[in-house]
């Protein structure tokens, strides 16, 4: 049977030879689209997003420009290296996933550490140090350890920033007067009286001081300016005004030295890489990696609070920071972190996507390519004013008083960490702060309350509440050993945690007490009792508390 509309087929359903199969004609597609139904290539929403990102990128560029140069000068390296790090932060880290609105570049928080490393190991070793730190960050991110940086005590972080701010201010006070800092937190602080006397007797130093103080003062009052002028970054306005004033009056003060971008780039060689075998240099690499990672991830946490968009992936952000530092190390430039000043400016300027931070790197690259000589007109005292203002903002002045009132232990950790950084160095100061935070937490977690109820007749009732750990063991044993020689009921129902040391000590106390109390006295007590009788209940996270020790022998 042959169906209508189909060619005849032979055996097996195949068409006979010579028969041409019927092909249905496909309707011709029309490529004419009416204007009413056409979808524009760029929607109105995309145009608004693009406009917001471009505007925000210009604002971030204007904020980043003086900071990049100032951080580099304060770190004792050519000014171009700070701009290179800013460019890498935009074009490399800015393109990678992690945080969408966070902006990276050279940070004032690492200025002290970089200055110390360059002074001790030389500028040639900076690339190896930054390269090693970047690779460590990539490995930490790949191992998904980025989230663990959030476990660091906030008091340690605030103390670290306060210590950095103090050391930064102390060092930049010398640059404010066109003087050379002795180097080191204590040395800089000790030399301040001599600096004051030298400045008061030098007209050159007084001129530089006036420019620097005026710059810092203008940055501080600029946010109060209303209207459109307030959108322009205060640091740029202050540095621009100081530069113009210095040029017009031809003031005899120091200015930024510019040697060219290609001259500043110094990739590390094999001989520099071999220096990683030095224990001190290797410790510096680890310090760079840990401090840069902590600062970047804490900044990410702060930036996430400023917007309602996509949250930061800490592991990916750590890998992105590591990739940027790896490139910076290969170029021999400064290390990078996520900078809260630029990031908050990016959010406030209305940025919506990562395009804004990428474009800010493009603007920095164009500036370095076409206008590098413009930096030679900038007075170093003005940059010192910018960094003094940045250092002052690192010190949590307003938080110290309420913290001391409500959480005195945390305030002590903050102050000790800051003082340790000033008196030693960044790495050792942070380690001291972390150790103190761990000790404080262990002491707080081992808090135990001992209440004794003795009516003079019958058993003495002792109740322990809290966490019975070895840290409080001397107090517990002193209290128990001072009890009268009568039957004792020890209630452990309120103990949330009983460690092995306390359990063994209570067992030994019960055994010793049983050995010294006679059998008649024991029989006069509660029958079937226990020298360390405890009841269950009140455990933290479970339905039962720690088991009470049950000594052998008759009750005490």
């Amino acid at each position: 049977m042959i169906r209508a509309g189909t060619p005849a087929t032979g055996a097996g359903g195949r068409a006979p030879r010579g028969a041409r199969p019927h092909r249905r004609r496909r309707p011709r597609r029309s490529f004419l689209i009416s204007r009413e139904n056409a979808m524009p290539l760029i929607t109105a929403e995309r145009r608004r997003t693009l406009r917001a990102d471009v505007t925000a990128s210009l604002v971030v560029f204007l904020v980043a420009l003086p900071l990049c140069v100032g951080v580099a000068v304060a770190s004792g390296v050519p000014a171009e290296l700070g701009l290179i790090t800013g460019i890498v932060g935009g074009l490399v880290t800015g393109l990678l996933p992690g945080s969408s609105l966070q902006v990276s570049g050279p940070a004032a928080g690492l200025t002290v550490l970089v200055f110390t490393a360059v002074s001790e190991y030389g500028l040639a070793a900076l690339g190896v140090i930054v390269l090693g730190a970047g690779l460590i960050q990539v490995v930490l991110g790949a191992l998904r350890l980025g989230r663990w940086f959030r476990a660091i005590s906030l008091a340690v972080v605030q103390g670290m920033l306060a210590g950095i701010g103090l050391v930064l201010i102390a060092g930049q006070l010398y640059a404010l007067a066109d003087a050379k800092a002795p180097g080191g937190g204590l040395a800089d602080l000790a030399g301040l009286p001599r600096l004051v006397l030298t400045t008061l007797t030098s007209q050159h130093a007084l001129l530089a001081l006036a420019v620097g103080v005026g710059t810092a003062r203008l940055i501080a009052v600029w946010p109060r300016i209303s209207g459109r002028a307030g959108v322009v970054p205060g640091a740029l306005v202050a540095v621009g005004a100081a530069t113009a004033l210095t040029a017009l009056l031809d003031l005899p003060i120091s200015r930024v030295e510019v040697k060219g971008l290609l001259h500043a780039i110094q990739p590390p060689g094999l001989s520099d890489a071999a220096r990683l075998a030095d224990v001190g240099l290797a410790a510096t690499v680890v310090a760079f990696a840990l401090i840069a990672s902590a600062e970047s991830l804490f900044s990410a946490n702060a930036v996430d609070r400023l917007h309602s968009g996509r949250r930061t992936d800490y592991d990916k952000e750590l890998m992105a920071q590591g990739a940027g530092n790896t490139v910076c190390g290969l170029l021999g430039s400064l290390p990078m972190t996520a900078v809260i000043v630029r990031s908050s400016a990016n959010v406030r300027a209305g940025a919506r996507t990562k395009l804004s931070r990428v474009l800010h790197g493009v603007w920095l690259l164009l500036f370095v390519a076409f206008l590098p000589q413009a930096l030679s007109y900038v007075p170093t005292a003005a940059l010192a004013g910018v960094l003094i203002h940045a250092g002052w903002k690192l010190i949590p002045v307003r938080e110290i008083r309420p913290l001391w009132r409500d959480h005195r232990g945390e305030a002590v950790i903050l102050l000790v960490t800051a003082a340790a950084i000033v008196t030693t160095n960044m790495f050792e100061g942070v380690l001291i702060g972390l150790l103190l935070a761990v000790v404080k937490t262990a002491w707080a977690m081992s808090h135990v309350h001992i209440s004794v109820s003795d009516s003079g007749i019958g058993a003495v009732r002792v109740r322990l509440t809290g966490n019975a750990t070895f840290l409080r063991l001397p107090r517990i044993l002193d209290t128990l050993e001072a009890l009268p020689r009568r039957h004792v009921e020890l209630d452990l129902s309120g103990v949330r945690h009983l460690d092995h040391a306390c359990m063994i000590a209570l067992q030994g106390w019960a055994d010793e007490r049983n050995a010294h109390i006679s059998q008649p006295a024991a029989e006069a007590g509660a029958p079937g009792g226990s020298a360390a009788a405890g009841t269950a209940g009140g455990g933290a996270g479970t339905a039962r508390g720690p088991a009470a020790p049950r000594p052998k022998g008759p009750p005490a």
Side-chain angles (χ1 to χ4, degrees):
M1 179 178 181
I2 302 176
R3 300 189 180 193
T6 61
T9 57
R14 295 180 181 179
R17 293 182 180 181
R20 303 181 64 182
H22 176 73
R23 296 181 179 178
R24 294 181 180 180
R25 293 184 178 181
R26 298 180 180 178
R28 294 182 179 180
R29 296 181 180 178
S30 176
F31 293 95
L32 298 178
I33 302 177
S34 61
R35 293 185 178 181
E36 291 79 10
N37 298 329
M39 292 293 293
L41 295 178
I42 301 179
T43 62
E45 180 63 24
R46 289 182 177 178
R47 284 197 296 269
R48 286 193 293 268
T49 301
L50 180 62
R51 187 183 304 113
D53 286 338
V54 172
T55 303
S57 69
L58 291 172
V59 173
V60 177
F61 160 70
L62 296 177
V63 172
L65 182 61
L67 287 177
C68 287
V69 179
V71 170
V73 173
S75 301
V77 301
E80 294 87 347
L81 294 184
L83 293 171
I84 292 173
T85 301
I87 294 170
V88 174
L91 300 184
V92 177
T93 306
L95 288 172
L96 297 176
S99 177
S100 57
L101 299 181
Q102 187 166 243
V103 184
S104 301
L110 290 176
T111 301
V112 179
L113 196 60
V114 173
F115 182 83
T116 304
V118 172
S119 301
E120 187 171 353
Y121 301 106
L123 183 59
L126 180 61
V128 174
I129 295 174
V130 178
L131 175 61
L135 294 177
I136 291 176
Q137 288 180 302
V138 172
V139 173
L140 293 177
L143 295 176
R144 304 184 63 83
L145 297 178
R147 67 195 70 180
W148 288 100
F149 281 89
R150 292 181 291 177
I152 300 178
S153 170
L154 180 60
V156 176
V157 177
Q158 290 179 327
M160 178 187 72
L161 296 178
I164 293 171
L166 290 173
V167 176
L168 183 62
I169 291 173
Q172 291 306 301
L173 287 175
Y174 291 86
L176 206 65
D178 275 353
K180 185 177 181 181
L186 286 179
D188 291 343
L189 292 175
L192 289 180
R194 182 179 180 182
L195 174 66
V196 173
L197 295 176
T198 306
T199 303
L200 293 177
T201 57
S202 173
Q203 183 179 2
H204 169 84
L206 288 175
L207 287 175
L209 180 64
V211 172
V213 172
T215 302
R217 182 60 182 167
L218 182 57
I219 296 174
V221 302
W222 186 256
R224 304 175 188 174
I225 298 177
S226 59
R228 294 184 177 181
V231 180
V232 183
L236 182 70
V237 174
V239 173
T243 303
L245 181 65
T246 302
L248 290 175
L249 299 180
D250 193 21
L251 298 180
I253 59 177
S254 300
R255 305 181 188 185
V256 177
E257 296 182 4
V258 180
K259 298 180 180 180
L261 186 63
L262 296 179
H263 183 271
I265 297 177
Q266 296 182 6
L270 295 178
S271 59
D272 297 324
R275 299 180 62 184
L276 290 174
D278 185 0
V279 177
L281 192 135
T284 304
V285 172
V286 175
F288 269 72
L290 296 181
I291 295 175
S293 300
E295 187 170 346
S296 297
L297 297 183
F298 286 134
S299 174
N301 189 12
V303 173
D304 284 345
R305 299 177 184 176
L306 299 178
H307 66 91
S308 58
R310 193 173 181 180
R311 305 291 94 178
T312 299
D313 187 320
Y314 286 86
D315 297 319
K316 292 182 179 179
E317 178 64 18
L318 186 56
M319 295 183 69
Q321 295 292 329
N325 275 320
T326 301
V327 176
C328 289
L330 293 174
L331 297 176
S333 62
L334 290 174
M336 76 164 58
T337 67
V339 186
I340 187 62
V341 177
R342 300 173 208 181
S343 303
S344 58
N346 189 36
V347 175
R348 288 196 301 265
R352 300 186 180 183
T353 67
K354 65 175 61 178
L355 179 63
S356 61
R357 61 182 189 178
V358 176
L359 286 177
H360 116 276
V362 174
W363 308 140
L364 286 174
L365 178 61
L366 293 176
F367 177 84
V368 173
F370 297 104
L371 297 172
Q373 295 301 322
L375 297 176
S376 60
Y377 295 97
V378 178
T380 56
L383 297 178
V386 172
L387 290 175
I388 287 176
H389 180 265
W392 177 256
K393 295 186 69 174
L394 291 176
I395 304 174
V397 179
R398 296 180 179 178
E399 289 82 359
I400 292 178
R401 180 174 296 179
L403 191 65
W404 180 264
R405 182 179 61 249
D406 301 330
H407 305 280
R408 188 157 298 182
E410 296 294 314
V412 171
I413 294 174
L414 189 156
L415 296 174
V416 170
T417 304
I421 291 176
V422 173
T423 55
T424 58
N425 55 58
M426 175 84 67
F427 188 61
E428 295 179 3
V430 172
L431 288 181
I432 292 173
L434 290 174
L435 180 60
L436 187 60
V438 171
V439 172
K440 181 257 180 186
T441 302
W443 185 258
M445 290 299 295
S446 65
H447 178 74
V448 63
H449 178 69
I450 307 173
S451 61
V452 180
S453 177
D454 183 11
S455 61
I457 303 175
V460 179
R461 292 176 174 83
V462 180
R463 177 177 171 81
L464 269 65
T465 56
N467 299 300
T469 66
F470 68 94
L471 294 175
R472 303 288 182 164
L473 191 53
R475 179 190 173 194
I476 296 174
L477 292 179
D478 289 343
T479 303
L480 294 177
E481 290 172 356
L483 296 175
R485 293 291 180 176
R486 298 204 309 272
H487 177 68
V488 176
E489 291 181 0
L490 182 58
D491 184 6
L492 302 179
S493 60
V495 175
R496 294 186 295 269
H497 174 69
L498 178 68
D499 67 1
H500 181 70
C502 269
M503 184 176 64
I504 295 300
L506 291 177
Q507 180 77 52
W509 169 81
D511 292 341
E512 182 181 358
R513 190 175 184 83
N514 289 336
H516 287 81
I517 295 180
S518 62
Q519 184 66 26
E523 292 176 354
S530 173
T535 58
T542 62
R544 295 181 63 83
R550 305 193 62 84
K552 298 179 182 180

